[in-house]
Amino acid sequence: MTDAVKNALKCLKDAGIDAQQWQGLGLVLEVPYDMIKSIDTNLALSNPKSKLCELLTCAETSNLLIPERLVQGVSELMDMALRKEFRNDLRNILKYIFLDEYVLNKKQEIVTSAKSFFDCGCLSPAEPDCYNNDNRSWYDRISPRDAYLIVNQHVVEAERYSLAARLDLPDADREALLPLLDGEWNVYFAELLWRADEQQLLTFANLCAVICESGNRWAVETKVCPRLGLDYHQLPEYQSKRMLSENNSEPDRLLSIRDLVSVFSNQMHILPEYLAQVCGYSELLKHPLLMTMQKKFKFFPDIVKRMILLELIYQQNRGNSKGGLSITDVVRILNKPEVMELRVANRLLSNMTAGGSEQASPVFEPSLWFKLADMLIQIPDFEAEPLAKMLGLPDHKRKLIISGEYAKNLRQITYNILSAANKLGRLTPENVVYALNQTCPASFVNSVCNMSTFPQLQSITGTPLPPVVLGQQDEIPRKPGSIPLTMDFLGNLLLSHNVHRIGMCTGLGFDELDALQTCTEDEPQLLAYRLSKKLTETERGLETGHLYQALQWLDDKDALAYFPQQQTDEFLSCLPEQTINNIQQGMAYISAFRQIPATADGTEWILPIACKIGLPRRKFDHIPISCDPGWNLIRYLLAAGESPSPQRVKELVEWSGQLKRAKDLLSESGDNESSAYRCPIGGNLISWPAAIDKKQNQGGPQTVYFEHDLLFEWVHKHPIHPLTSAAIDVKEIRTRCPEFFEQLIATLDDQSFSPLEGKTTDELP
């Protein structure tokens, strides 16, 4: 072993590069791929350390073991490890250090430390050889090393897992690469780039197109293209020989893995678990590779999980007699009730199969939604619900918007309708014109279409999608009688809008219902998936007939519209006794829920109830809010240490009705009469009271009530009483004020407004 090889081994050891990454080192040293394969298949080299020594020896013999190259290569091989190190250290976030800045500084430290072995002089982290060279063409080849360096710098870690698919490597190559994912990243990445190079896929055009698709178009335009001497605005689209030869413009043509990534990652972000469910491959979630990757990542990103799942689903379909996923298959998935990506589906069915543009129709920016909403509400006798229907919003979404928190604000309702249509992919120019033509005067439609504010409406080339007809998105086979529930069956139903009540009527206990939603921001697909997992547990014994009966009792027309018609509900299996008891209890609760007003889906309705039952505000703020006010009430009762019961729910709902009537009465009365119930700081009717009580031998009012959050914010900023300016500490604030709402409700019986002592905003110091 020569001194150069010994020094290289010591350099690698000190930097933390183990022998398992020898292929990655071969990539950055530009050792030919044939030589790499020869070392890998040499039976005499039985372990990674011997292969690393052989690699360094071969590199030295070929004059590739250049000290500067080795030192710079070592810093690049640490890229993924440094990014993981950054995220695992909370101090970096607290110091407001940016990830790329941290990685670059660490690479510089590695280079500075390692160069002492070779007396290299002043070095900086590695830079691609292709930069700053003239006379480049978009179709020139780029070396695997240069591609590695550019990707490291401009593609985020999670998106790097999609490179094999985006480069459209042949199926056999991707299948061979997949097992490498659970090993060292640099081994997988080096093998990927070598195989792409062999397939002549590594060109400047393809690499830049792939980086753009991965979400960093800005870096390609401002960083990469100027260094390559190429004009970004002339960047050609990605070219794949395989895609061109297979594009026969038929709905049944099989999509490449690159096509699938374009649909499921670029234009939409379907939950990985739900993707597996609606594709009929829920069992793939337990695939050994996914389980290993789950352990490898502290937080397994959805984008990585979705990419691996797409590859596994693609391989499963390729292995069966069908040969893969067709356009029709993907459109069927996109039309599932919990996905509803109809804009993308329309693009696949019309533009792609006709050989036209593969880009979906443009959508409207939020600022234009407001503009259009403002114009619509100026139309005499304008009604928002027909517009929602013509844009294709399902019934449950229309109900939530029309009877929701802003039920009296026509502008906000109209804006929310346009926003919901956009989320469903239905706010395309074609569909906007379709909906306007169906619901507005022709003169209004013509004026809107001719406005410079809406240029999208002046060059319509596509055909509007008709409104969604629930239950006709998918051909669901009709089955006689009742069969056990399966994930595939539930993937065809709309569940996320009503998960907790469906769970109650099918026997889920409170702990199980609580686990369906772990945070307020949980995606609807995730809620539907979690409910499906619970309902299909074997020990429950639930069948399609049980679910059908539950949906009928709930009168859930949205879910029933997707349900295959049952010819008979007979022959239902007997359910476990505990499940039957849970179902009966759940139905009793839902009967109590029916007294909750339709407008109670926000926090305004539940706040006074949470305060009445003694739930601390800090607990209230940390409990996820669902779209079901009844379930929210049960969750708050449990958090307050109560044992919920249907009777208790009825009592609280009736109490909240009395409170609302009292508030409405106060709102209609003069300010002087209602001032005792208004916050002296904000002037609003108090929704969650906090009080400052009069101290002994101290002047001023006995007790003054404030809005909880406003009072704490005030005292933290100005530690004085808002009315008397006396010094005060937050410990003197009383947060348990059950008497406040009781006195407010008493105004219904005694309209003399027996005063709570307080002052108005005008009396603040």
Side-chain angles (χ1 to χ4, degrees):
M1 186 182 297
T2 65
D3 289 341
V5 172
K6 289 179 182 178
N7 285 337
L9 288 171
K10 189 173 189 314
C11 175
L12 293 168
K13 182 179 179 181
D14 288 356
I17 305 290
D18 59 33
Q20 299 281 354
Q21 303 190 52
W22 68 270
Q23 292 103 318
L25 184 64
L27 177 77
V28 295
L29 291 177
E30 295 195 286
V31 176
Y33 187 36
D34 289 341
M35 192 177 293
I36 297 290
K37 288 190 285 187
S38 175
I39 295 172
D40 196 28
T41 55
N42 188 340
L43 298 179
L45 304 172
S46 58
N47 57 66
K49 188 172 181 179
S50 61
K51 291 180 180 181
L52 175 60
C53 292
E54 182 67 17
L55 172 76
L56 293 172
T57 301
C58 292
E60 184 185 23
T61 304
S62 304
N63 295 321
L64 296 173
L65 193 58
I66 304 169
E68 292 85 350
R69 207 71 150 183
L70 176 65
V71 171
Q72 291 174 327
V74 165
S75 70
E76 287 303 317
L77 292 174
M78 292 295 293
D79 185 86
M80 287 289 267
L82 292 172
R83 292 175 186 274
K84 183 178 179 181
E85 177 184 289
F86 174 88
R87 290 193 169 88
N88 288 341
D89 191 345
L90 183 61
R91 291 174 298 179
N92 294 322
I93 300 173
L94 296 176
K95 293 177 183 176
Y96 299 99
I97 299 175
F98 292 105
L99 172 60
D100 290 338
E101 177 188 353
Y102 176 87
V103 172
L104 183 62
N105 290 340
K106 284 290 185 180
K107 285 181 180 179
Q108 185 63 63
E109 289 177 16
I110 293 171
V111 169
T112 303
S113 174
K115 71 179 183 181
S116 60
F117 287 108
F118 307 103
D119 192 22
C120 300
C122 185
L123 279 180
S124 59
E127 189 173 85
D129 294 332
C130 59
Y131 279 176
N132 301 321
N133 285 328
D134 297 329
N135 301 319
R136 290 286 185 199
S137 162
W138 280 115
Y139 298 104
D140 286 348
R141 302 274 291 277
I142 182 173
S143 72
R145 174 188 178 271
D146 284 358
Y148 177 84
L149 297 177
I150 292 173
V151 168
N152 268 1
Q153 189 171 0
H154 299 300
V155 179
V156 298
E157 307 97 289
E159 283 287 356
R160 296 177 195 179
Y161 287 86
S162 68
L163 288 175
R166 293 189 190 279
L167 285 170
D168 203 33
L169 278 176
D171 297 339
D173 285 323
R174 294 196 326 280
E175 191 170 349
L177 282 169
L178 210 54
L180 299 179
L181 274 175
D182 63 0
E184 290 289 345
W185 166 256
N186 288 314
V187 175
Y188 167 81
F189 199 13
E191 188 69 24
L192 186 163
L193 292 173
W194 280 322
R195 288 174 181 261
D197 187 50
E198 279 195 327
Q199 296 294 329
Q200 301 182 17
L201 294 172
L202 285 186
T203 63
F204 292 119
N206 284 353
L207 184 65
C208 288
V210 163
I211 296 174
C212 289
E213 292 166 8
S214 299
N216 206 349
R217 189 175 295 274
W218 176 84
V220 173
E221 181 177 2
T222 62
K223 303 289 185 183
V224 180
C225 287
R227 300 295 302 276
L228 293 174
L230 295 169
D231 184 359
Y232 165 78
H233 299 288
Q234 295 180 5
L235 171 63
E237 291 186 3
Y238 184 95
Q239 294 295 316
S240 167
K241 299 174 184 177
R242 205 154 57 109
M243 288 175 66
L244 292 175
S245 63
E246 292 180 0
N247 188 355
N248 55 17
S249 301
E250 293 294 333
D252 291 330
R253 85 167 170 92
L254 300 181
L255 294 174
S256 71
I257 188 67
R258 178 176 164 79
D259 290 328
L260 294 176
V261 172
S262 173
V263 171
F264 289 108
S265 291
N266 288 10
Q267 302 188 52
M268 60 178 288
H269 298 287
I270 185 171
L271 183 78
E273 290 83 357
Y274 197 75
L275 173 63
Q277 181 181 355
V278 296
C279 288
Y281 288 112
S282 295
E283 70 277 4
L284 287 180
L285 293 170
K286 297 181 180 179
H287 191 281
L289 177 59
L290 277 176
M291 302 303 287
T292 304
M293 295 292 285
Q294 186 81 49
K295 296 176 183 176
K296 187 175 179 180
F297 282 90
K298 189 173 182 180
F299 302 104
F300 196 7
D302 275 354
I303 188 172
V304 178
K305 188 187 293 186
R306 182 168 53 244
M307 186 59 245
I308 296 173
L309 265 174
L310 275 175
E311 187 65 71
L312 293 173
I313 291 169
Y314 180 86
Q315 289 186 14
Q316 288 274 10
N317 276 273
R318 194 167 65 89
N320 62 29
S321 57
K322 188 173 181 182
L325 285 171
S326 68
I327 293 176
T328 304
D329 293 329
V330 173
V331 168
R332 185 176 292 113
I333 293 169
L334 297 176
N335 280 335
K336 297 291 185 182
E338 299 292 359
V339 182
M340 297 286 282
E341 286 284 352
L342 302 173
R343 180 173 63 98
V344 185
N346 191 43
R347 189 269 294 182
L348 276 170
L349 274 178
S350 58
N351 299 338
M352 195 171 185
T353 56
S357 169
E358 293 191 5
Q359 298 301 314
S361 301
V363 294
F364 290 89
E365 296 296 326
S367 59
L368 296 182
W369 307 347
F370 277 117
K371 178 68 176 176
L372 186 56
D374 284 337
M375 296 178 66
L376 285 166
I377 63 176
Q378 301 302 320
I379 300 175
D381 301 323
F382 170 73
E383 294 183 13
E385 187 165 8
L387 176 70
K389 193 172 183 179
M390 290 301 103
L391 283 171
L393 268 64
D395 285 347
H396 73 280
K397 288 190 180 293
R398 295 204 302 272
K399 290 175 185 174
L400 280 176
I401 295 172
I402 302 299
S403 63
E405 187 176 356
Y406 302 101
K408 297 180 181 179
N409 187 331
L410 184 60
R411 179 178 185 265
Q412 187 65 48
I413 288 176
T414 308
Y415 174 79
N416 288 346
I417 287 171
L418 298 175
S419 176
N422 179 66
K423 288 180 180 177
L424 292 179
R426 301 194 63 79
L427 204 65
T428 62
E430 298 88 349
N431 294 340
V432 168
V433 172
Y434 177 91
L436 294 179
N437 277 324
Q438 299 296 318
T439 58
C440 303
S443 57
F444 174 83
V445 179
N446 290 334
S447 64
V448 169
C449 290
N450 290 322
M451 289 178 64
S452 59
T453 310
F454 305 106
Q456 302 95 328
L457 304 181
Q458 298 171 15
S459 56
I460 294 176
T461 57
T463 304
L465 288 167
V468 177
V469 181
L470 289 174
Q472 296 183 7
Q473 274 73 27
D474 215 346
E475 291 290 334
I476 307 174
R478 298 175 184 268
K479 295 184 180 294
S482 184
I483 58 174
L485 286 175
T486 63
M487 293 294 287
D488 293 349
F489 179 89
L490 293 173
N492 289 305
L493 301 182
L494 185 66
L495 302 174
S496 64
H497 67 296
N498 209 9
V499 288
H500 293 102
R501 298 196 185 195
I502 293 173
M504 286 181 175
C505 287
T506 48
L508 269 63
F510 281 158
D511 289 345
E512 295 171 313
L513 291 166
D514 195 47
L516 293 178
Q517 184 177 13
T518 57
C519 68
T520 304
E521 291 76 25
D522 278 347
E523 293 289 337
Q525 291 173 6
L526 183 57
L527 301 179
Y529 174 77
R530 287 173 178 161
L531 178 62
S532 299
K533 288 285 286 183
K534 285 292 179 184
L535 297 183
T536 53
E537 289 175 350
T538 307
E539 60 270 20
R540 295 186 187 280
L542 289 170
E543 298 180 358
T544 55
H546 296 122
L547 179 59
Y548 187 67
Q549 289 178 344
L551 295 176
Q552 282 187 313
W553 190 85
L554 288 168
D555 194 27
D556 191 338
K557 292 183 174 62
D558 289 325
L560 286 169
Y562 289 97
F563 209 101
Q565 184 176 347
Q566 297 288 306
Q567 295 180 5
T568 173
D569 289 330
E570 297 176 0
F571 312 113
L572 289 178
S573 62
C574 294
L575 296 174
E577 183 178 354
Q578 183 60 53
T579 301
I580 294 174
N581 292 338
N582 287 346
I583 290 174
Q584 291 174 345
Q585 183 188 53
M587 294 173 77
Y589 276 111
I590 292 170
S591 295
F593 293 168
R594 286 173 176 161
Q595 299 180 36
I596 298 174
T599 56
D601 57 329
T603 58
E604 183 180 348
W605 175 79
I606 199 71
L607 269 173
I609 295 179
C611 182
K612 175 180 173 60
I613 63 179
L615 182 66
R617 184 59 191 255
R618 65 181 183 281
K619 276 192 177 182
F620 177 87
D621 291 336
H622 285 88
I623 295 174
I625 298 175
S626 76
C627 61
D628 186 340
W631 171 247
N632 289 336
L633 179 51
I634 289 181
R635 191 172 245 175
Y636 293 135
L637 283 169
L638 290 168
E642 288 198 30
S643 296
S645 68
Q647 183 58 37
R648 178 62 167 153
V649 170
K650 287 181 181 179
E651 291 173 2
L652 290 172
V653 172
E654 290 173 1
W655 179 86
S656 71
Q658 292 177 325
L659 181 64
K660 185 179 186 307
R661 288 194 294 275
K663 284 186 173 182
D664 291 344
L665 183 62
L666 282 178
S667 297
E668 295 170 2
S669 66
D671 288 341
N672 290 335
E673 293 178 321
S674 64
S675 62
Y677 302 96
R678 294 182 180 276
C679 174
I681 299 175
N684 56 294
L685 280 175
I686 295 171
S687 59
W688 189 300
I692 300 178
D693 296 314
K694 178 182 176 182
K695 294 180 182 178
Q696 192 173 7
N697 301 322
Q698 186 183 53
Q702 289 287 341
T703 298
V704 184
Y705 296 92
F706 301 84
E707 186 68 47
H708 179 283
D709 291 350
L710 291 179
L711 178 57
F712 273 88
E713 183 181 349
W714 173 281
V715 174
H716 280 302
K717 288 183 179 178
H718 324 283
I720 57 173
H721 193 298
L723 299 181
T724 66
S725 298
I728 191 172
D729 187 84
V730 290
K731 295 179 181 178
E732 299 176 52
I733 299 175
R734 179 162 59 89
T735 57
R736 185 84 171 90
C737 308
E739 77 285 353
F740 176 83
F741 290 121
E742 301 308 326
Q743 293 182 59
L744 200 160
I745 289 175
T747 60
L748 289 173
D749 301 322
D750 179 11
Q751 296 190 19
S752 62
F753 295 95
S754 55
L756 291 165
E757 294 182 57
K759 299 184 179 181
T760 64
T761 312
D762 297 334
E763 296 175 281
L764 286 171

